[in-house]
Amino acid sequence: MKEETFLPITSEQRLSLIGVFLAIFLAALDQTIVATALPTIVVDLHGTNLYAWVATSYLLASTVALPIFGRLAEIVPRKWVLLVAVAIFLVGSALSGASTSMVALIASRALQGIGSGGIFAVGVTVLGLLFPPRQRGRIQGLFGAVFGIANVLGPWLGGVLTDQLSWHWIFYVNMPFGLVALYFIAVHMPRLAPQMRHRFDYIGALAIAVMTVPLLLALSWGGSTYAWTSPIILGLFALSAIGIAAFIVAELRNPEPLFVLSLFQGRTFRWAMVGSFFFGAAFLGALLFLPFYLVQVQGISATDSGLSLTPLTLGVVVGSFVTGQLASRLGRYKGLLVVGLVWLTATLYIFHLLLTLHTPLWQIWVVMVLVGLGMGPGMPTYTLAVQNAVPLNRIGQASSGAQFFRQIGSSLGSALMGAALVSTMTVYVPKYLPASMHAAQSQFSSSQASEAGSSSIDGTVRQTFARTERQIDLALAGNAKAYLAVQRNPDIPAAQKSKIPAGGVPAEVRKGFAQTKALIAAAMGGSAAAQAAVQHDSEVPSQVKALVAHPPQSATVRASVLQSIDAGLKAAEPKAVAQALSQAQGAVRTALQRLERQISHDLVRGFDEGITQAVRTILLYAAILSLLALVFALLLPNEELRHQHQPADHGPSPATTPGD
């Protein structure tokens, strides 16, 4: 092994790394820290309808910023570009923490996203410039470890800060660490100035925004906010296609483009970009809904949900770090990437087979660690591959390009996995509902089911039955509109509807009293059948039965007796109505409570089964995406990591990528 492979890290490099890694850690942390606090934020700022935009604005801004800052890092001293990116991120953090409305928070999050995209693009570029490829593996492995640690700490830290202080502190916490990062970058990092001055491609930047923003919006909204075939989603895809065409035309015509498209002519760059896309989709697919399963099905508390991915993240950190070390020692990366993707594909498929409603939690933890070990090599290797394959002055484009493709892949993976969740829930949840609960079937098979939990189900069922109970109470009391609503309500079983008379209990009691009065009159008139019926009627007082058994001979006396009986019946009617109404409402309430408990139990069971099957499907999709990443990894040339940087290519558009 050559001695130059492991040249000691200088003090300047070490102190620069502290600043870069601190900045990257904050940017990675902010991608996850907000999620835990969002419910509190939307309640405080009264913006439930804008809930999703807090994350969407950040994603859009950071994705668009990646290639723009990647190019800026090639035409302006990297130190100043990174300082600007960190400053933008900190200003966005301060404004987010001080926001008093959802609109202000969304705008501030977008500013944060711009800074975050710049930090990732320029930070990784700086790592590539400070170290030659052979040494870079160890550093890129540390980058993957930092990213993984930030991902697991984010949700937990967000919950702690929100509970112990306030949600504002999930943004303010960035300030002291960010200022330390600024210090190390400003004081200890070399300028890393480009060897030539270039012009910035404004048209290309605009085109990439037109290409990216509609695409990400379509992937975020499709299948949830809007149907995939809706005019809005199709229009967004069409606009994105126009943006792609405009970007290609603009880049081909510009002598100093934002992104040199001829880089794709190099095998390493081309297949690394495609592989990074599929790896990003598989990575997010495996991460996105596992906490949902662990909380809902395995019973992990919502408080601990932020730590539920710790075993997987531990595997990612170890896999990333070890891969970086081995890449530097062996001098090659393809074998490590292939082995990692084979391992990842296999463990994701095993996870798919293993997962059930009753899988022991310890088995899930073990498999999560194994999956993380398979993910680890992909974190540093794609960036390492493209930085090794391009000239020194193209490292910014190569680094930001790998992250850009991974981000787009993650968005596609998120949309794919979300669609799988909703479609699976649509199939499984209604299986556990009785046929009469058509409206509830429709409600719980919607995309809202993916955001609920057993407590949400219980609450929704209780609310539904409370409304039904109020309707039935009014219908029993004689409310005509409520009666019609009850008869038309598909959630109310037919057996319960049949017990509600038209006009309600008062009309039924009055009808009964009228029939009793007519029967007594007939009995007083000498009808033997009427007399027998009166004697067998438990509701008729004994005094009346005695009069009916021996009716007076005088018609006048009989009329007087009937008048007295009629007055007595009228006086007794309100009490009888109240008693009958109370009994009827009590009987219905008891029946509904029994049905409510059964429905809630069955829905939770169906919900858990739906989540389990959905996550199994998602893991299978992730395994397929990982397999596609493996296919393209096999197409990569088995290049050796260079001991020195490639010389800069000062041509505006190289015909080929050196080293391929």
Side-chain angles (χ1 to χ4, degrees):
M1 186 172 297
K2 296 182 180 181
E3 185 67 24
E4 65 264 28
T5 302
F6 296 101
L7 291 175
I9 296 178
T10 66
S11 175
E12 181 182 66
Q13 288 175 320
R14 185 179 296 107
L15 295 173
S16 297
L17 280 179
I18 294 175
V20 172
F21 279 149
L22 265 177
I24 289 174
F25 177 79
L26 288 178
L29 187 72
D30 216 68
Q31 292 181 340
T32 56
I33 195 173
V34 177
T36 312
L38 259 183
T40 303
I41 292 174
V42 297
V43 170
D44 192 27
L45 299 182
H46 310 290
T48 305
N49 58 322
L50 298 174
Y51 185 101
W53 276 102
V54 177
T56 302
S57 62
Y58 186 92
L59 172 66
L60 293 176
S62 62
T63 305
V64 172
L66 278 169
I68 294 174
F69 274 88
R71 177 56 177 163
L72 286 173
E74 295 177 347
I75 62 179
V76 178
R78 285 79 173 190
K79 175 176 182 174
W80 309 126
V81 181
L82 185 56
L83 285 172
V84 168
V86 175
I88 291 173
F89 179 81
L90 293 180
V91 170
S93 297
L95 293 176
S96 295
S99 296
T100 56
S101 70
M102 285 295 286
V103 173
L105 177 61
I106 290 167
S108 301
R109 285 283 289 165
L111 188 62
Q112 258 193 313
I114 294 172
S116 173
I119 288 171
F120 281 123
V122 186
V124 177
T125 300
V126 167
L127 296 180
L129 293 169
L130 287 175
F131 301 92
R134 189 65 177 261
Q135 283 187 292
R136 202 180 295 151
R138 293 182 293 166
I139 307 304
Q140 291 290 356
L142 290 174
F143 166 78
V146 168
F147 196 87
I149 293 171
N151 275 342
V152 74
L153 280 181
W156 172 79
L157 187 59
V160 170
L161 291 175
T162 301
D163 292 340
Q164 302 300 321
L165 298 172
S166 75
W167 64 264
H168 302 276
W169 279 95
I170 66 173
F171 302 110
Y172 291 149
V173 74
N174 294 330
M175 307 307 293
F177 295 101
L179 292 174
V180 174
L182 283 176
Y183 165 77
F184 277 98
I185 295 169
V187 175
H188 298 290
M189 181 181 290
R191 290 178 71 246
L192 299 175
Q195 296 180 2
M196 292 183 63
R197 295 183 63 86
H198 301 276
R199 291 178 299 173
F200 184 74
D201 179 12
Y202 295 99
I203 295 178
L206 177 62
I208 207 166
V210 174
M211 171 182 74
T212 305
V213 172
L215 177 61
L216 293 179
L217 287 176
L219 293 176
S220 297
W221 290 345
S224 54
T225 306
Y226 304 101
W228 286 107
T229 55
S230 68
I232 291 179
I233 298 301
L234 295 178
L236 288 170
F237 279 128
L239 183 58
S240 179
I242 293 171
I244 292 173
F247 178 74
I248 293 173
V249 171
E251 300 310 275
L252 290 176
R253 291 184 175 180
N254 195 325
E256 295 191 84
L258 182 78
F259 196 90
V260 179
L261 295 179
S262 59
L263 288 174
F264 284 100
Q265 295 176 10
R267 287 175 57 203
T268 299
F269 188 87
R270 179 171 64 249
W271 300 131
M273 292 298 103
V274 179
S276 185
F277 173 85
F278 286 112
F279 177 78
F283 184 89
L284 191 65
L287 291 177
L288 198 57
F289 295 108
L290 270 176
F292 192 28
Y293 165 84
L294 292 170
V295 170
Q296 174 62 30
V297 179
Q298 291 291 339
I300 292 176
S301 69
T303 305
D304 295 333
S305 62
L307 298 175
S308 61
L309 292 178
T310 301
L312 191 144
T313 304
L314 176 64
V316 170
V317 170
V318 173
S320 179
F321 179 78
V322 171
T323 299
Q325 295 291 322
L326 288 175
S328 288
R329 290 182 177 275
L330 300 175
R332 296 185 185 272
Y333 57 83
K334 179 179 177 179
L336 297 171
L337 180 60
V338 168
V339 169
L341 290 173
V342 168
W343 182 276
L344 177 60
T345 304
T347 51
L348 284 171
Y349 186 68
I350 291 171
F351 207 172
H352 157 75
L353 297 176
L354 179 73
L355 202 69
T356 67
L357 276 171
H358 309 293
T359 304
L361 195 56
W362 69 267
Q363 291 183 14
I364 294 174
W365 295 142
V366 170
V367 178
M368 286 175 71
V369 171
L370 296 178
V371 169
L373 289 173
M375 287 179 175
M379 295 295 289
T381 307
Y382 285 112
T383 303
L384 189 63
V386 296
Q387 288 183 344
N388 184 63
V390 300
L392 186 64
N393 61 325
R394 304 294 184 195
I395 284 182
Q397 293 183 49
S399 304
S400 62
Q403 294 175 78
F404 179 80
F405 274 83
R406 184 184 300 168
Q407 191 91 305
I408 296 295
S410 296
S411 298
L412 179 63
S414 175
L416 177 66
M417 306 315 175
L421 177 71
V422 172
S423 62
T424 307
M425 300 291 285
T426 301
V427 171
Y428 277 89
V429 174
K431 285 183 178 180
Y432 294 86
L433 282 169
S436 64
M437 298 292 287
H438 299 298
Q441 276 193 21
S442 173
Q443 179 176 356
F444 285 104
S445 63
S446 71
S447 61
Q448 294 175 353
S450 66
E451 300 172 0
S454 57
S455 60
S456 299
I457 291 176
D458 290 338
T460 303
V461 171
R462 280 195 298 271
Q463 291 175 5
T464 300
F465 274 87
R467 288 193 299 268
T468 300
E469 187 177 308
R470 287 194 294 271
Q471 278 186 336
I472 293 177
D473 283 348
L474 290 172
L476 287 171
N479 187 298
K481 290 183 179 180
Y483 175 79
L484 289 175
V486 167
Q487 297 303 319
R488 295 170 181 170
N489 190 338
D491 285 350
I492 300 176
Q496 297 299 325
K497 293 179 181 179
S498 64
K499 296 178 182 179
I500 304 172
V505 170
E508 194 76 5
V509 171
R510 284 192 293 270
K511 180 181 177 182
F513 270 64
Q515 291 174 345
T516 300
K517 179 181 175 181
L519 194 64
I520 291 173
M524 295 287 284
S527 170
Q531 289 177 350
V534 169
Q535 296 301 324
H536 288 89
D537 191 340
S538 61
E539 300 297 327
V540 177
S542 56
Q543 301 92 322
V544 176
K545 290 181 178 180
L547 288 171
V548 169
H550 304 285
Q553 297 296 320
S554 169
T556 303
V557 175
R558 287 200 302 274
S560 176
V561 170
L562 285 173
Q563 187 175 7
S564 176
I565 291 173
D566 182 50
L569 289 174
K570 286 182 178 179
E573 184 177 308
K575 182 178 179 181
V577 167
Q579 289 179 339
L581 182 60
S582 177
Q583 290 175 354
Q585 290 175 337
V588 169
R589 193 172 291 115
T590 300
L592 286 179
Q593 287 173 350
R594 186 165 54 249
L595 182 60
E596 175 189 333
R597 287 192 295 270
Q598 184 63 44
I599 292 292
S600 182
H601 175 271
D602 291 345
L603 267 176
V604 170
R605 181 184 174 192
F607 194 77
D608 289 352
E609 183 69 30
I611 291 172
T612 303
Q613 294 301 323
V615 174
R616 291 185 76 244
T617 302
I618 286 168
L619 289 170
L620 179 61
Y621 287 174
I624 294 172
L625 291 167
S626 177
L627 181 61
L628 290 172
L630 172 62
V631 170
F632 291 104
L634 292 171
L635 296 176
L636 288 169
N638 190 24
E639 291 184 335
E640 184 177 0
L641 292 173
R642 295 176 172 84
H643 292 286
Q644 302 295 331
H645 292 292
Q646 283 197 56
D649 176 7
H650 299 304
S653 180
T656 59
T657 302
D660 286 354

